Amino acid sequence: MNAISNTTPLPEGHPVQIYFQENDIIHALLEELSAVNPEDDLQKYTNIFNQLQTIEKRFARKENQLFPFLEKKGWNGPSQGMWSFHDNLREQFRLIQYYLKMNNPEKISINTPFLVNGIDRLMQMEEAVLFPNSLELLTEADWIEMRKGEEEIGWMLPEAPAPYPKQEYIHPSEDFTKREMSFSLENTSHYDEGYMTVGQVNLLFKTMPLDLTYVDENDKVIFYNRGEERVFPRSAGIIGREVKFCHPPKSVGTVLKILDEFRKGTKNESSFWINYKDRLIYIRYFAVRDADKNYKGVIEMSQDITDIKKIEGEKRLLDWD
């Protein structure tokens, strides 16, 4: 297959056309980055480097939009090979970030060519293989649906690209277009984004490492999740009970004040943290509102964050062995 270039006529706002618009930005940034000596002007280098890091939006669009569409057509190569290439470049970005933090221009100079050459190679593969094959495999409907999802991720462009096709943008939260699914929809319900059976929903709530309780707009408890290890005990008798009877007397006043402010629309969130049985517990209340901002109740979320508070640095490798 012949490679395509940025002169290939594609409609304005088409996902591939946007990738080529970004190519011009990336090439310019790579030239600037290669031209500046970090030992002479580290601040200028840092500014260019930070701009180049917005390439992460491009990686995210490919991984979460383009690649899944290609998988549906039976082409899994990009999801495996090119995604690994992205991760290698992410590691290179992190390494240079570290040397910037350590104020080590010598190491920055040594590592910059690896980043520049890696990005150059990636764009060559995109132009020679990825984009031509994608244009052949995917339909117009695929590109239109893909573009809708890209809105949530963003682009490297200084301004949002033209809509594609030329029509009013519909936010994904309001998009209920019927799509061809690669899994069974039997006994499922459609949520804002996705489908699950009642069993899957119960498993989701049971597996989540936190306590959830939903109090409706009438201050009645209508739901709680039954996890393996709840922070605070709950029983089925709580369902249908007024929330003011579900808290100790000393905290009822605070709970009622939260509900009142949520109902009036003056507040949307409230947080507390307490020591409970030698564990640090994070308790949060969130107002629930519908699309018209009408009050529909409150979610109470409790989580044991004792071990989370101890986390430092990074853990990027699996250590099961």
Side-chain angles (χ1 to χ4, degrees), residues 177-243:
T177 305
K178 200 73 174 178
R179 294 174 173 85
E180 180 184 347
M181 295 296 163
S182 58
F183 54 89
S184 173
L185 299 182
E186 185 177 358
N187 298 322
T188 64
S189 295
H190 182 217
Y191 297 87
D192 275 353
E193 193 55 51
Y195 299 81
M196 288 194 292
T197 64
V198 172
Q200 288 172 328
V201 172
N202 276 323
L203 288 172
L204 172 65
F205 283 124
K206 185 176 181 179
T207 306
M208 293 173 68
L210 45 84
D211 295 1
L212 290 176
T213 304
Y214 187 3
V215 178
D216 71 6
E217 63 269 35
N218 299 311
D219 297 346
K220 299 290 182 68
V221 178
I222 61 171
F223 169 86
Y224 72 91
N225 68 325
R226 183 174 290 177
E228 293 293 337
E229 296 183 14
R230 287 188 57 89
V231 175
F232 301 115
R234 290 280 190 269
S235 68
I238 198 176
I239 302 299
R241 196 179 186 189
E242 283 192 57
V243 68

Side-chain angles (χ1 to χ4, degrees), residues 32-49 96 99-100 103-113:
E32 291 180 47
L33 197 70
S34 299
V36 64
N37 186 343
E39 299 186 41
D40 295 334
D41 196 339
L42 188 60
Q43 186 57 57
K44 182 178 180 180
Y45 179 98
T46 301
N47 293 340
I48 300 168
F49 178 80
I96 294 177
Y99 288 132
L100 283 170
N103 195 22
N104 191 332
E106 182 181 355
K107 288 289 188 179
I108 294 170
S109 296
I110 293 172
N111 283 276
T112 297

Side-chain angles (χ1 to χ4, degrees), residues 25 30-31 73 96 103 113 157 175 179 186 195 245 281 297 314 317:
I25 295 173
L30 292 179
E31 287 183 13
K73 303 295 182 180
I96 294 177
N103 195 22
L157 308 179
D175 176 17
R179 294 174 173 85
E186 185 177 358
Y195 299 81
F245 298 124
I281 310 302
E314 290 186 346
L317 300 176

Side-chain angles (χ1 to χ4, degrees), residues 4 10 13-21 131 134-135 143 150:
I4 56 177
L10 287 168
H14 188 287
V16 175
Q17 193 255 2
I18 296 173
Y19 280 118
F20 279 118
Q21 285 181 267
F131 296 148
S134 298
L135 289 168
W143 292 115
E150 290 184 345

